Amino acid sequence: HLAAATVPMAHAGQLLEAREAAVQAAVLTADRAERERYRIIAAELAWLAGYSDHALDLLEQAAPQRSPDARTSASIIRAVIHGFRESWTSGWRLLPTDTDLEPGSAEHALRLLVTVLTAGWENATTGSLQDTVARLRGTVEPRLEPVPGVVGALQRIAAGRSDPDPDQREALRSLAWWAKPSDALHPKAWPPPLLPVFIGEEDRYAQLFATLLRGEAVQAAPSTRALLLLKLATAQLALGHWDHALANAGQGARLADELGHHALHSELLLTSAWIAAARGNEQACSGCVDAAARHAGRRSAGRQPPTMQWVRGLAALSSGRPAEAFDRLRALHQNDDSLHHTVLRRLSTVDAVEAAVQANRRAEAEVLVADFARWVDAGAARWAHLDLARCRALLDGDDTEQQHREALVLSAETGRLMSSARTELQFGAWLRRRRRHQEAREHLRMAEEHFQRLGAETWRMRAHAELRATGETHNPRPQDDLTPQEHQIALLAAEGLSNRQIAERLSLSPRTVGYHLYKVFPKLDITSRTQLAAVLGHPAR
């Protein structure tokens, strides 16, 4: 009865009570295999409640020998704990991927397969990951899959493909959260945060993650909550819901820091850094990157995340330094040693091509586009077709206008606001250079509006400069006199955030935020922050 009570108690958010019930069940049972299983359940619940060291102690005490499922669960939990605390390199090494695999039930075999993919995503070579997944696939009977096609979908992802079919997409979503009466609410490491973006399903996953975060079980499980906040923030980042993404990443970073999940903390900081880079806010970006590097340095792998290269390259591109941007982004295209690296390489290709073209390095841009085109033509998500059309338009060949118009259609389909804004800017600037000013204005106005919604002030200023070059009559706005950082702070204050909340969001001190607002008020000819929303045309919360 004690063992049977653990899952309902965990669902109700009573994790510590459920852990105690599992511990007592282990003491009372005379069956050694059952005792191993109850101790593993107790370790899972301790980890979910935020007690990683205690969970590791319980795993050490369990020392499962008789139950294959208990051995599999112990391996999974150790991998997840070390993955969040140190790096997924450590997690990968703790998984039984190089020995004879006996995961027991089909459910545990699937859990092992998912964890192997999650851990191997960051550091294992694509070839070794595919080999491991292929060996594990034989341990999962197709008729026992929770959703038909789930193992085939996982194998497709392991191959670096972004185009699972509709049934496979549904199967992948089914893995984001599941619990059965025979098992505790184990760590849900799947999917890796970038996977929904890679397959172009960030909108559906964002809804799923937001729903899960409201549940009692997750509210009581800080480790799971911190991970879900990273996943939600990453999906929101892709969609262009940047203020929400920053809020969730900040909340997750504070939680991960409290829990000692250093690698997870680093990923959350880099999510905030990417948004600051895209907005052209280099001070906030550098603050987040430096903090992430300090945490990444504590990882046993001793290797900084390649995401930092993309962030730094994007920051340089947003700030008008294309040569520096290309030198940083090119590094992502020189190696292809892991699935995570492959995903970053594909997602950042359009940035690298734009930087190369602006830096007059056309030959290198053409090589990047040709490689990207081969991958897209073999089958890829819709966002990749959009990025390919943008890349080809940047090369300014004979079919440039057709590529621009195709990109516009695809940007409406994908719903990624930053991609749409840059597509409009790219086409508008191209039309302006051909003196088709009236056509250009429509696209440049749209670009400026999108960038303003995103708070991407350096990009907005670029679109505005192009618009003025078409002969558009300039109606000065009060905010045009603000610096990019002043404008960003003013927008956040207009939303109702306090100086301390703005400081946390932008990695500044509250004193610095107050100083900037002190300079903003006279520029806008206002006397209080309550007037900001009306002046900036930004709805207050």
Side-chain angles (χ1 to χ4, degrees):
H1 294 297
L2 285 168
T6 57
V7 172
M9 292 169 76
H11 271 297
Q14 299 172 314
L15 295 181
L16 294 179
E17 293 87 345
R19 184 205 65 84
E20 184 61 28
V23 169
Q24 289 300 314
V27 171
L28 295 174
T29 184
D31 187 307
R32 292 182 62 180
E34 286 294 282
R35 185 180 303 123
E36 291 175 359
R37 190 171 75 86
Y38 297 152
R39 284 175 175 168
I40 299 302
I41 291 173
E44 289 180 325
L45 292 165
W47 183 86
L48 290 170
Y51 299 100
S52 298
D53 290 334
H54 181 50
L56 291 173
D57 288 342
L58 288 170
L59 291 173
E60 194 69 28
Q61 295 170 22
Q65 298 296 326
R66 293 175 176 266
S67 167
D69 282 352
R71 286 198 300 274
T72 301
S73 287
S75 298
I76 290 171
I77 300 167
R78 284 194 186 96
V80 171
I81 291 174
H82 287 281
F84 292 145
R85 290 174 63 166
E86 299 163 11
S87 76
W88 279 114
T89 301
S90 302
W92 168 262
R93 290 170 181 162
L94 291 167
L95 290 167
T97 56
D98 299 322
T99 59
D100 291 334
L101 300 168
E102 295 182 33
S105 67
E107 181 185 343
H108 280 72
L110 184 59
R111 283 181 55 192
L112 180 58
L113 175 55
V114 169
T115 309
V116 162
L117 257 179
T118 306
W121 170 281
E122 181 177 318
N123 59 87
T125 64
T126 305
S128 67
L129 187 59
Q130 285 182 269
D131 289 343
T132 303
V133 170
R135 284 191 296 114
L136 277 172
R137 182 174 188 175
T139 67
V140 183
E141 296 182 44
R143 65 185 181 83
L144 297 177
E145 292 180 7
V147 175
V150 68
V151 179
L154 292 171
Q155 202 162 25
R156 195 173 189 85
I157 294 300
R161 298 289 296 272
S162 66
D163 62 336
D165 63 38
D167 290 340
Q168 290 175 328
R169 289 173 182 272
E170 181 182 351
L172 289 173
R173 285 195 302 275
S174 75
L175 297 177
W177 187 267
W178 81 93
K180 299 194 176 179
S182 61
D183 198 8
L185 291 167
H186 56 81
K188 308 300 190 300
W190 184 268
L194 273 177
L195 177 69
V197 181
F198 185 56
I199 64 175
E201 288 229 334
E202 61 274 8
D203 192 14
R204 298 189 73 166
Y205 276 91
Q207 295 175 37
L208 172 61
F209 298 146
T211 299
L212 291 173
L213 278 163
R214 290 193 291 269
E216 288 182 329
V218 172
Q219 286 297 311
S223 294
T224 304
R225 194 162 72 251
L227 176 60
L228 280 173
L229 285 166
L230 169 63
K231 295 179 182 182
L232 177 57
T234 304
Q236 291 170 328
L237 176 155
L239 290 167
H241 304 162
W242 288 356
D243 287 340
H244 294 297
L246 282 170
N248 287 318
Q251 182 184 347
R254 290 189 292 275
L255 190 53
D257 192 29
E258 292 171 5
L259 295 168
H261 296 341
H262 306 301
L264 181 58
H265 188 195
S266 177
E267 288 189 67
L268 284 153
L269 289 169
L270 286 176
T271 301
S272 297
W274 192 97
I275 295 173
R279 282 177 161 169
N281 188 339
E282 292 198 88
Q283 183 178 356
C285 177
S286 295
C288 290
V289 167
D290 290 345
R294 287 195 296 273
H295 282 275
R298 301 176 68 171
R299 306 186 330 165
S300 60
R303 185 176 64 174
Q304 292 189 355
T307 311
M308 287 186 183
Q309 296 170 317
W310 187 11
V311 167
R312 287 177 167 139
L314 181 58
L317 181 62
S318 298
S319 299
R321 302 192 303 277
E324 177 190 337
F326 181 65
D327 286 340
R328 292 189 180 278
L329 294 168
R330 182 176 53 176
L332 289 171
H333 295 260
Q334 293 173 336
N335 297 302
D336 190 12
D337 57 353
S338 72
L339 184 53
H340 180 59
H341 203 120
T342 299
V343 169
L344 290 173
R345 173 185 178 183
R346 300 309 183 189
L347 290 171
S348 66
T349 291
V350 71
D351 293 333
V353 170
E354 183 169 347
V357 169
Q358 291 182 11
N360 296 316
R361 297 165 76 164
R362 182 183 175 87
E364 290 168 282
E366 289 175 344
V367 171
L368 292 177
V369 175
D371 173 69
F372 191 54
R374 284 191 292 272
W375 177 71
V376 173
D377 291 343
R382 298 303 285 167
W383 67 264
H385 291 270
L386 163 61
D387 282 6
L388 179 58
R390 289 178 57 201
C391 286
R392 285 172 168 162
L394 283 164
L395 293 179
D396 204 11
D398 294 337
D399 63 344
T400 296
E401 183 164 357
Q402 177 185 340
Q403 295 295 335
H404 277 302
R405 295 195 181 280
E406 181 179 349
L408 287 173
V409 172
L410 289 167
S411 69
E413 291 180 16
T414 58
R416 296 182 177 182
L417 189 57
M418 185 59 166
S419 293
S420 296
R422 288 171 65 179
T423 300
E424 297 281 3
L425 171 60
Q426 193 177 321
F427 189 29
W430 184 84
L431 289 168
R432 195 271 305 165
R433 290 194 297 272
R434 280 147 189 80
R435 300 184 182 279
R436 294 162 62 177
H437 292 166
Q438 186 170 351
E439 295 174 77
R441 288 179 195 132
E442 175 187 352
H443 299 287
L444 293 171
R445 288 192 200 105
M446 185 65 71
E448 185 176 14
E449 179 182 325
H450 287 343
F451 288 132
Q452 183 170 345
R453 284 178 57 193
L454 290 164
E457 186 61 13
T458 56
W459 290 94
R460 188 202 67 78
M461 292 170 67
R462 202 172 301 174
H464 188 72
E466 289 282 353
L467 189 57
R468 292 193 66 183
T470 68
E472 175 92 326
T473 303
H474 178 51
N475 296 317
R477 303 174 306 161
Q479 57 263 45
D480 289 342
D481 291 331
L482 304 181
T483 67
Q485 188 165 66
E486 287 172 349
H487 188 254
Q488 189 175 19
I489 289 172
L491 284 173
L492 292 174
E495 289 186 25
L497 274 68
S498 67
N499 285 9
R500 182 169 297 280
Q501 290 171 320
I502 296 171
E504 290 178 353
R505 183 81 60 90
L506 302 180
S507 299
L508 302 171
S509 70
R511 184 186 295 272
T512 300
V513 172
Y515 173 70
H516 280 300
L517 286 174
Y518 173 77
K519 295 193 297 179
V520 162
F521 290 173
K523 288 184 178 182
L524 299 181
D525 194 25
I526 60 176
T527 57
S528 73
R529 64 198 304 140
T530 58
Q531 299 170 279
L532 282 168
V535 173
L536 297 176
H538 195 293
R541 286 180 177 174

